[in-house]
Amino acid sequence: LRPPSHLEGASTAEDWKRYALWREYERTGGVLYKRAALSPDEFSAIVHGLRRDAIEMAKEEGSSFATNRIGARIEQGSEIHRILSREDGSLSRLVNCLTAMEGGIKGMGTMILSPDIPTEIRVYEKS
């Protein structure tokens, strides 16, 4: 993968942002740590949906080395699932960017949430 300066025309700030994201992903061997993968509006809508639908986040013990982790399964027809799976949503854009970078900085992949795999939300708190 080459820096965006090789592209015809002017490189945009967004091109450089995607390039930096990809370089970090590549440098860590395919692991990406992001403090926030959702926009503030998406995050607020998910928190609201968790409260509205009375989805209880349960403490998860023994299934991971993670400490202070809570989680819940998200139903496929829910508003939360719709937010997470939106084609133009933050999560989809992030995954599409990372999976398409090998094909070119301007290329985009296509993320879908499989109906066969449960969608879960997990929160990892500092201990």
Side-chain angles (χ1 to χ4, degrees), residues 52-66:
R52 182 194 62 234
D53 298 340
I55 297 173
E56 200 167 314
M57 301 287 277
K59 187 170 177 88
E60 298 180 1
E61 294 183 26
S63 64
S64 171
F65 62 87

Side-chain angles (χ1 to χ4, degrees), residues 23 41 47 72 85 94 101 104 112 127:
R23 291 292 297 150
D41 289 342
V47 169
S85 61
L94 173 64
M101 290 301 278
I112 59 167
S127 40

Side-chain angles (χ1 to χ4, degrees), residues 53 55 72-82 119-120:
D53 298 340
I55 297 173
R73 182 173 284 185
I74 303 303
E75 296 300 320
Q76 288 187 6
S78 72
E79 177 69 10
I80 295 171
H81 190 271
R82 188 189 67 72
T119 302
E120 298 177 348

Side-chain angles (χ1 to χ4, degrees), residues 11-83:
S11 300
T12 66
E14 191 62 30
D15 291 334
W16 283 102
K17 186 176 173 182
R18 283 196 302 263
Y19 177 72
L21 181 70
W22 171 253
R23 291 292 297 150
E24 179 67 16
Y25 180 71
E26 187 178 61
R27 185 184 66 75
T28 59
V31 175
L32 183 67
Y33 173 78
K34 288 191 62 75
R35 287 186 61 93
L38 303 173
S39 73
D41 289 342
E42 290 168 330
F43 182 80
S44 293
I46 287 173
V47 169
H48 176 73
L50 287 169
R51 289 180 182 145
R52 182 194 62 234
D53 298 340
I55 297 173
E56 200 167 314
M57 301 287 277
K59 187 170 177 88
E60 298 180 1
E61 294 183 26
S63 64
S64 171
F65 62 87
T67 58
N68 297 328
R69 182 175 84 173
I70 56 175
R73 182 173 284 185
I74 303 303
E75 296 300 320
Q76 288 187 6
S78 72
E79 177 69 10
I80 295 171
H81 190 271
R82 188 189 67 72
I83 291 167

